[in-house]
Amino acid sequence: MEKKITVLSGDGIGPEIVREAIKVLDKIAHKYNHTFKYTYVDIGGCSIDKFGVPITDEGMEKCKGADSVLLGAVGGPKWDSCPPSIRPEKALLAVRKELGLFANLRPTKLFLQLADSSPLKQSVVGNGIDLMIVRELTGGIYFGERKTEEKNGEMYSYDVMSYYEHEIERIGRVAFDCAMKRNKKLASVDKANVLDTSRLWRKTMHRLSEEYPQVEYSDILVDNTAMQLIKNPAQFDVIVTENMFGDILSDEASMLTGSIGMMPSASLSSTTLGMYEPIHGSAPDIAGMNIANPIGTVLSAAMMLRYSFDMAKEADDIENAVNSVLNQNYRTSDIMQEGCRKLSCSEMGDMIAANI
Ligand code: IPM
Ligand code: MG
């Protein structure tokens, strides 16, 4: 098969980790006789430096015209003082919105070899963690009206959180379908004791749950979820939640797995066009040092094969290769353990490719 992939390496460690994911994709292409055609587009700070905007219209068109998009990370202190309208993150949000990527899947899986790297006790994570966070990605407070103005003699700001019922329903369906393919357990996270958006969220999820009688459904408040994720993470299978709650809870959940560097994500639309990226940021403090962990990006590439290209076997190959490399005691510095061999970012990419 031939597929067009638009590559947004971005800033900081973005180019380093994306390079390794492409190395792994090329190995898959070779093994299965596929052709992956890459088109590189600047995004974030590097695009601001070159073009004055975090993504050009032409770049956006190249994302829309691709079969899928692979992203590294955007942003960094250099661009923190940019006006909000051209901040690096703005481009990421624009791509999500313009490509209609409303469903963000963030699988949180603990590789048992790394259980020691988790800050949680063995008694909490030792039996394994395998949950899926389904985050709504194109609505809520991220995309509501916002403003900063002078009012009553002082500065005043607001950000509006809003949801249409159809936006809740479509992410709900993704989550229920996902639960059906897993352990048939879905927790919907909201703040229905305070927020109107959450009350609409809950009502809509309840209505949907009637269509999925096999799924054991529950509602849970977001503050309680933050606690339960640490207290007893194994109680969760699929979690569905709105945009900002999902942003926060997925960073929290990533630590169950030992390192945020391990976590991939998929952002899906109603077509097969999706965007795939690790959940971590651009880590400017270690950029260019070849020590970043590329596994989150490599596993994101595996999700791309699975969800956008329907290449389940190829995706399994990548995931199994990551698992064997960990079994052979190879680690990047963020997940380094006693008795293991430390690899650089590029060596980790080589090693994963070699295990395919
Ligand atoms: C994420 C990131 C982004 C978000 C930022 C970079 C805008 O934190 O993908 O989780 O908040 O969605
Ligand atoms: Mg985040």
Side-chain angles (χ1 to χ4, degrees):
M1 254 194 262
E2 184 174 313
K3 295 289 180 191
K4 287 184 289 184
I5 303 173
T6 293
V7 181
L8 308 171
S9 300
D11 306 314
I13 58 170
E16 299 163 53
I17 53 179
V18 164
R19 202 174 297 132
E20 301 317 308
I22 286 178
K23 199 182 269 175
V24 171
L25 282 172
D26 284 342
K27 186 70 191 276
I28 289 288
H30 183 76
K31 177 169 171 186
Y32 289 92
N33 217 2
H34 298 311
T35 307
F36 297 138
K37 289 206 165 137
Y38 308 104
T39 304
Y40 289 81
V41 167
D42 289 307
I43 190 171
C46 59
S47 173
I48 296 174
D49 288 349
K50 271 196 210 164
F51 308 111
V53 288
I55 188 164
T56 60
D57 293 345
E58 198 196 348
M60 185 67 83
E61 287 311 311
K62 286 182 178 151
C63 293
K64 286 186 191 161
D67 293 312
S68 81
V69 179
L70 181 66
L71 174 81
V74 297
K78 182 173 174 202
W79 305 282
D80 274 350
S81 52
C82 287
S85 60
I86 62 153
R87 278 189 67 98
E89 292 80 3
K90 191 84 186 169
L92 184 56
L93 301 182
V95 175
R96 288 173 180 172
K97 194 70 174 181
E98 293 217 12
L99 272 60
L101 307 173
F102 68 90
N104 186 216
L105 307 187
R106 299 192 157 182
T108 306
K109 197 171 164 197
L110 173 68
F111 287 87
L112 279 174
Q113 304 94 317
L114 302 185
D116 282 344
S117 305
S118 172
L120 297 189
K121 287 192 192 119
Q122 283 294 312
S123 57
V124 180
V125 296
N127 289 327
I129 300 293
D130 186 357
L131 54 99
M132 177 69 93
I133 297 179
V134 179
R135 168 187 176 195
E136 200 292 322
L137 203 60
T138 51
I141 198 166
Y142 273 60
F143 293 95
E145 193 190 326
R146 71 181 91 250
K147 198 168 182 188
T148 298
E149 62 190 347
E150 217 182 302
K151 196 173 169 181
N152 302 329
E154 58 179 328
M155 294 312 291
Y156 167 79
S157 296
Y158 60 81
D159 299 273
V160 176
M161 182 191 275
S162 60
Y163 271 107
Y164 278 102
E165 195 176 350
H166 77 266
E167 295 177 289
I168 303 172
E169 175 162 345
R170 67 183 178 183
I171 190 72
R173 286 197 188 282
V174 169
F176 275 103
D177 289 338
C178 178
M180 284 299 288
K181 289 187 200 132
R182 294 174 44 105
N183 294 326
K184 301 193 171 55
K185 213 176 148 193
L186 175 64
S188 168
V189 174
D190 62 37
K191 189 70 187 171
N193 52 349
V194 178
L195 303 177
D196 261 29
T197 41
S198 282
R199 288 189 267 267
L200 181 60
W201 181 278
R202 193 175 279 206
K203 203 170 148 204
T204 309
M205 291 293 166
H206 280 217
R207 174 163 60 73
L208 278 182
S209 74
E210 284 164 22
E211 293 177 36
Y212 294 85
Q214 296 111 303
V215 175
E216 185 192 321
Y217 172 86
S218 59
D219 306 300
I220 175 165
L221 294 173
V222 62
D223 46 351
N224 186 24
T225 309
M227 180 184 75
Q228 296 295 337
L229 273 172
I230 302 298
K231 189 176 168 201
N232 177 17
Q235 72 185 283
F236 295 109
D237 179 29
V238 180
I239 289 177
V240 62
T241 192
E242 68 87 39
N243 204 344
M244 187 164 66
F245 296 162
D247 178 45
I248 298 168
L249 292 176
S250 58
D251 266 36
E252 184 191 3
S254 75
M255 284 320 289
L256 304 170
T257 71
S259 170
I260 194 170
M262 299 292 296
M263 277 190 63
S265 80
S267 302
L268 308 176
S269 65
S270 49
T271 70
T272 56
L273 175 58
M275 177 160 74
Y276 300 83
E277 58 177 302
I279 85 153
H280 60 73
S282 60
D285 52 323
I286 58 163
M289 292 165 69
N290 195 22
I291 59 170
N293 183 351
I295 295 180
T297 318
V298 168
L299 292 174
S300 301
M303 291 185 89
M304 170 189 291
L305 299 181
R306 193 180 300 286
Y307 291 100
S308 279
F309 302 164
D310 204 15
M311 298 178 179
K313 196 165 178 313
E314 291 87 331
D316 287 344
D317 263 16
I318 296 182
E319 289 163 3
N320 291 336
V322 168
N323 202 33
S324 359
V325 167
L326 295 175
N327 275 337
Q328 294 157 45
N329 288 334
Y330 292 113
R331 303 283 187 272
T332 42
S333 58
D334 56 320
I335 50 173
M336 187 57 193
Q337 289 165 293
E338 224 180 275
C340 290
R341 205 181 126 211
K342 198 192 279 188
L343 299 186
S344 67
C345 179
S346 55
E347 286 169 337
M348 181 54 92
D350 289 338
M351 195 58 83
I352 297 169
N355 274 268
I356 285 171

